[in-house]
Amino acid sequence: ASNAMWGGRFASGPAAIMEAINASISFDKKLYAQDIAGSIAHSEMLAEQGIISAADQKQIAHGLNTILSEIESGTFEFSTRLEDIHMNVEARLAELIGPAAGRLHTARSRNDQVAVDFRLWVKAEALRTAEALKKLIAAFLDKAEEHSETVMPGFTHMQTAQPVTFGHHAMAYVEMFSRDLSRVRDAIERMDESPLGAAALAGTGFPIDRHMTAKALGFREPTRNSLDSVSDRDFALEFLSLAAICATHLSRLAEEIVIWSTPQFGFVRLSDSYSTGSSIMPQKKNPDAAELIRAKTGRVNGHLIGLLTVMKGLPLTYSKDMQEDKEAVFDAAETLELMLAAMAGMVTDMSINAEAMKRAAGSGYATATDLADWLVREAGLPFREAHHVTGKAVALAEARKIGLEELPLAELQKLNAAITADVYSVLTVEKSVQSRTSFGGTAPEQVKKQVAYWRERLAKA
Ligand code: ARG
């Protein structure tokens, strides 16, 4: 049998394989609520503009609401023959209310219909992402506040560089996740336009009111070019981009958690609820959640590249290629939500081993820069020369297998006569972090200031 929607032009129906490659209902049924909301708004506008009768509109809206409850109660029968969510809903509407159903698609195409459905879905998902990010940031702010004075090694090249505080390290992630949050807000702002009423591609001759449907669906305004309206998937690409960047931040953090939780580092201890054991090695406590967050980033990043590649060759306006936009976004969104929630839980539950952090911060000559700075400040040496003298001190300490602060004063004075006992006051890791008072530096007072700043800013975000 030929298709009920375009049977006028077709003598026979599709091959089974054609149906299989063409159908999207298995995944775009996720858009049912948006599709029905879009259709109700469209029908109300058509009636308001005198394009359909008020009586027909009432029947349409009633039928659509029935379908909504059928889908939500699980009694709706989705059909692959009917290709996608739009035709599944419309076909059922015809069953329910008869000929009036056929008036719903006046001044509309599936091209603007899918564009509006998908935008509504992505917009709602972006709002959920924002909430999940805010929870994660709150978890970090608490940790940062609690550990504004907890000293740990800061690394470059994965080698101990200078002492920092764990609070400062935590606040670095607050900066990253707050940028992610602001990217979500920006993306929502840009996607907040309704494509409904662009029709197939050229607009319509019916006297529709696009401002009315835009408002009814919660959009700021209608889009301004009908061709762009049905071709544009930037909103999906932007969502995937921000998801990929956010996932990448989560992955770097996950990597740090994996390293920190090793017995060798022992900086953090994961709670039992966020780790797993080994079936053979009884001593093991594995950071699986962190590892999976790190791994799932590959999936999210892959979806961005996938959709960019789908879109890059498409001439204006709609091509069926664009049906491939949905699974990428659905999976990226679901994956990112899970990653954010798992990370928030893991960070909240994780305990910090301040002892181990401090011990590590003190090894590896992490206060060498403080010694050089002291020579500049107190002995008037040019920094380059101070660097040289300090290098000799490190070599000496290393040869004797002791810390810088354990070198006898007489030995230090052999390297530079101006050195006094006062130098020992900067060689401890606590003194080192306390001295980094520049704006954005690691000194506890700076960290506390940044925590207060973000708490206030996020209350409004
Ligand atoms: N299922 C289609 C999609 O997701 C809906 C739009 C179909 N439009 C068309 N002209 N075939 O893209």
Side-chain angles (χ1 to χ4, degrees):
S2 81
N3 184 297
M5 298 287 166
W6 48 75
R9 169 76 178 74
F10 282 64
S12 70
I17 294 297
M18 176 61 207
E19 215 169 83
I21 195 172
N22 201 32
S24 54
I25 189 63
S26 65
F27 50 87
D28 68 14
K29 62 177 160 206
K30 237 191 169 75
L31 299 175
Y32 74 88
Q34 290 77 14
D35 196 69
I36 288 170
S39 288
I40 291 177
H42 183 66
S43 72
E44 282 168 348
M45 181 278 292
L46 291 176
E48 180 73 25
Q49 297 297 102
I51 301 166
I52 64 173
S53 73
D56 283 347
Q57 194 279 324
K58 239 183 116 177
Q59 279 198 65
I60 289 171
H62 187 257
L64 288 169
N65 281 318
T66 305
I67 294 170
L68 184 65
S69 45
E70 287 177 352
I71 295 177
E72 289 186 335
S73 64
T75 59
F76 190 94
E77 274 186 48
F78 291 102
S79 147
T80 310
R81 270 203 54 223
L82 292 165
E83 224 181 291
D84 56 23
I85 185 64
H86 324 297
M87 297 206 291
N88 269 270
V89 169
E90 199 183 320
R92 177 69 182 137
L93 187 63
E95 278 173 22
L96 287 171
I97 68 167
R103 299 194 185 278
L104 171 61
H105 213 53
T106 314
R108 185 177 78 170
S109 154
R110 275 190 297 157
N111 297 349
D112 58 338
Q113 192 179 352
V114 73
V116 79
D117 291 4
F118 198 29
R119 269 193 201 237
L120 284 169
W121 193 92
V122 175
K123 213 179 116 183
E125 178 60 34
L127 287 169
R128 273 200 296 280
T129 308
E131 287 315 304
L133 273 165
K134 284 171 77 171
K135 277 202 194 113
L136 178 59
I137 293 169
F140 267 100
L141 284 171
D142 289 346
K143 283 274 181 263
E145 191 148 61
E146 195 185 331
H147 292 285
S148 62
E149 320 221 346
T150 304
V151 178
M152 71 179 280
F155 299 91
T156 59
H157 312 270
M158 194 65 221
Q159 315 246 351
T160 299
Q162 294 179 346
V164 296
T165 61
F166 182 69
H168 196 49
H169 201 105
M171 288 308 288
Y173 282 101
V174 167
E175 295 285 334
M176 287 178 250
F177 294 129
S178 298
R179 285 196 298 275
D180 292 333
L181 179 59
S182 97
R183 266 183 282 276
V184 175
R185 302 286 186 217
D186 288 352
I188 291 174
E189 179 76 13
R190 258 186 303 280
M191 73 178 76
D192 203 9
E193 296 178 351
S194 169
L196 189 60
L201 75 164
T204 174
F206 289 101
I208 61 171
D209 182 350
R210 294 191 56 212
H211 293 271
M212 180 179 166
T213 48
K215 190 163 172 232
L217 293 170
F219 288 105
R220 189 181 59 238
E221 58 189 337
T223 52
R224 316 190 92 82
N225 181 294
S226 62
L227 302 175
D228 180 53
S229 304
V230 296
S231 325
D232 168 34
R233 291 295 182 271
D234 289 8
F235 61 95
L237 289 170
E238 276 201 71
F239 179 78
L240 289 173
S241 312
L242 71 86
I245 296 173
C246 178
T248 300
H249 290 153
L250 288 167
S251 183
R252 294 180 76 173
L253 172 57
E255 168 70 1
E256 296 204 302
I257 290 174
V258 169
I259 294 169
W260 292 344
S261 63
T262 56
Q264 287 76 7
F265 267 75
F267 285 8
V268 302
R269 199 181 158 76
L270 298 177
S271 69
D272 288 354
S273 34
Y274 282 95
S275 35
T276 54
S278 157
S279 53
I280 172 166
M281 298 165 284
Q283 86 281 14
K284 298 274 279 175
K285 203 171 170 196
N286 294 328
D288 291 25
E291 290 170 337
L292 285 163
I293 288 170
R294 191 172 60 185
K296 283 176 191 294
T297 302
R299 237 162 96 175
V300 175
N301 293 359
H303 287 314
L304 169 62
I305 300 300
L307 186 57
L308 281 169
T309 310
V310 167
M311 296 306 294
K312 69 174 257 312
L314 300 187
L316 304 189
T317 55
Y318 181 85
S319 297
K320 198 61 172 268
D321 306 53
M322 287 160 76
Q323 181 165 283
E324 290 287 313
D325 57 3
K326 292 170 203 67
E327 284 164 294
V329 174
F330 292 160
D331 186 65
E334 195 180 314
T335 305
L336 185 65
E337 253 187 73
L338 187 57
M339 290 165 74
L340 284 166
M343 186 58 93
M346 197 161 46
V347 167
T348 305
D349 280 15
M350 147 182 120
S351 58
I352 307 301
N353 186 343
E355 267 310 293
M357 284 186 173
K358 191 181 156 181
R359 213 177 314 120
S363 66
Y365 307 105
T367 58
T369 316
D370 298 276
L371 173 55
D373 286 350
W374 186 91
L375 287 165
V376 170
R377 215 170 41 239
E378 307 297 332
L381 264 59
F383 182 76
R384 284 297 159 216
E385 202 184 321
H387 185 287
H388 191 77
V389 171
T390 306
K392 292 207 144 149
V394 169
L396 194 62
E398 207 169 31
R400 299 198 182 173
K401 299 189 168 44
I402 55 175
L404 273 179
E405 72 287 356
E406 292 168 305
L407 283 173
L409 183 60
E411 295 288 335
L412 287 169
Q413 283 169 339
K414 274 188 215 155
L415 299 173
N416 187 288
I419 297 180
T420 68
D422 176 63
V423 77
Y424 293 103
S425 70
V426 302
L427 294 182
T428 68
V429 291
E430 286 88 354
K431 284 280 168 15
S432 172
V433 298
Q434 276 159 21
S435 74
R436 303 280 193 262
T437 52
S438 55
F439 184 79
T442 198
E445 52 166 286
Q446 276 298 323
V447 172
K448 284 175 197 151
K449 259 187 204 155
Q450 298 306 332
V451 170
Y453 169 85
W454 279 113
R455 280 207 195 285
E456 198 188 319
R457 190 163 153 186
L458 288 161
K460 292 177 250 159

